[in-house]
């Protein structure tokens, strides 16, 4: 990672990073995706908080389809030594992430539910926050985002669904102070032309506009 006026990230930043000493240190990855043709999508976030109560993994994992079926898991689990490995990390077996050969892979396993997803970047990974932004530096250090094509399969309710859609993901590490965090709104789109965009509002107690 280049630490000039604006960070530049490469594939080398996709893997695990050394754990910092701050009690607020975390490393996390997030993916939200949708397959319009199949009418199925999901949202998955995996966070390692190595200095929280001896080491905790945060699991946010959601899947849904147009029929109204939903899966939701929002929990945490103690970190295990096997949850860190070359190119990725996990809260096994519920949620796993790894980056290999230019592709981000996600695996969900919970009872009969299985999801195996691959996200290939549509453009180089980018840090959306200016380095000089004090708010971003305090809450989102070492953070990058990218849109991608999502393929794979989801097995649920006796069905095996092939996935071919689009998604948006991020990866960050470092101390994260969310003590003044209120909430956020995100909107992202990927068009057939290949053009993508994302818009976000992130609200804190110290924001000019207090969403509450």
């Amino acid at each position: 990672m280049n630490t000039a006026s604006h960070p530049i990230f490469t594939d080398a930043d996709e893997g695990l990073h050394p754990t910092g000493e701050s009690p607020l240190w975390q490393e996390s990855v997030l993916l939200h995706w949708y397959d319009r043709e199949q009418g199925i999508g999901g949202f998955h976030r995996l966070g390692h908080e190595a200095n929280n109560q001896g080491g905790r993994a945060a699991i946010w994992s959601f899947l849904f389809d147009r029929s109204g079926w939903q899966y939701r898991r929002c929990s945490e689990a103690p970190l295990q030594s096997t949850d860190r490995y070359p190119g990725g990390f996990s809260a096994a077996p519920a949620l796993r992430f790894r980056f290999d050969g230019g592709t981000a892979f996600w695996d969900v396993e919970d009872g009969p539910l299985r999801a195996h997803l691959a996200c290939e970047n549509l453009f180089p990974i980018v840090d959306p926050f200016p380095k000089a932004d004090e708010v971003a530096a305090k809450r989102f250090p070492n953070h990058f985002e990218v849109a991608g094509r999502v393929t794979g399969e989801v097995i649920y309710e006796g069905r095996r669904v092939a996935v071919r859609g689009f998604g948006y993901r991020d990866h960050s590490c470092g101390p994260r102070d969310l003590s003044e965090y209120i909430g956020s709104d995100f909107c992202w789109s990927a068009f057939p032309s290949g053009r993508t965009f994302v818009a976000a509002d992130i609200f804190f107690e110290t924001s000019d506009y207090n969403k509450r």
Side-chain angles (χ1 to χ4, degrees), residues 117-207:
L117 304 168
C119 184
E120 297 187 23
N121 298 348
L122 290 173
F123 51 81
I125 54 181
V126 62
D127 179 358
F129 301 109
K131 187 173 177 60
D133 187 329
E134 295 182 3
V135 173
K138 181 178 180 181
R139 280 103 176 186
F140 306 105
N142 306 318
H143 176 95
F144 62 78
E145 303 181 357
V146 67
R149 296 184 184 275
V150 177
T151 58
E153 67 175 9
V154 180
I155 303 169
Y156 71 105
E157 301 286 295
R159 302 178 58 199
R160 183 186 297 266
V161 177
V163 171
R164 291 182 62 85
F166 290 94
Y168 198 84
R169 68 184 183 90
D170 72 24
H171 188 152
S172 65
C173 69
R176 174 168 288 181
D177 182 357
L178 296 180
S179 58
E180 299 173 343
Y181 178 72
I182 298 173
S184 55
D185 298 320
F186 283 83
C187 175
W188 64 272
S189 293
F191 297 96
S193 66
R195 183 181 296 274
T196 66
F197 81 87
V198 62
D201 285 327
I202 305 174
F203 303 99
F204 295 92
E205 294 284 1
T206 52
S207 301

Side-chain angles (χ1 to χ4, degrees), residues 2-170:
N2 186 333
T3 55
S5 59
H6 203 283
I8 298 173
F9 294 92
T10 69
D11 284 2
D13 294 292
E14 293 274 13
L16 280 170
H17 298 81
T19 301
E21 297 182 358
S22 169
L24 299 177
W25 189 94
Q26 63 88 51
E27 181 157 15
S28 61
V29 287
L30 179 148
L31 169 70
H32 46 109
W33 61 276
Y34 187 68
D35 180 334
R36 180 180 178 183
E37 182 176 344
Q38 297 286 3
I40 190 169
F43 177 101
H44 315 283
R45 181 186 180 273
L46 170 63
H48 273 200
E49 302 170 1
N51 303 323
N52 178 10
Q53 303 177 61
R56 310 294 292 179
I59 306 165
W60 301 351
S61 196
F62 309 89
L63 289 157
F64 62 91
D65 70 14
R66 64 163 62 103
S67 74
W69 171 82
Q70 296 182 34
Y71 161 82
R72 178 179 183 271
R73 179 164 182 173
C74 186
S75 62
E76 62 177 37
L79 281 180
Q80 307 295 326
S81 59
T82 53
D83 283 333
R84 294 174 62 87
Y85 41 82
F89 52 106
S90 69
L95 194 56
R96 296 185 178 93
F97 166 83
R98 64 184 173 89
F99 187 86
D100 184 41
T103 302
F105 295 93
W106 295 76
D107 294 285
V108 180
E109 295 187 14
D110 195 350
L113 172 69
R114 298 285 189 276
H116 307 292
L117 304 168
C119 184
E120 297 187 23
N121 298 348
L122 290 173
F123 51 81
I125 54 181
V126 62
D127 179 358
F129 301 109
K131 187 173 177 60
D133 187 329
E134 295 182 3
V135 173
K138 181 178 180 181
R139 280 103 176 186
F140 306 105
N142 306 318
H143 176 95
F144 62 78
E145 303 181 357
V146 67
R149 296 184 184 275
V150 177
T151 58
E153 67 175 9
V154 180
I155 303 169
Y156 71 105
E157 301 286 295
R159 302 178 58 199
R160 183 186 297 266
V161 177
V163 171
R164 291 182 62 85
F166 290 94
Y168 198 84
R169 68 184 183 90
D170 72 24

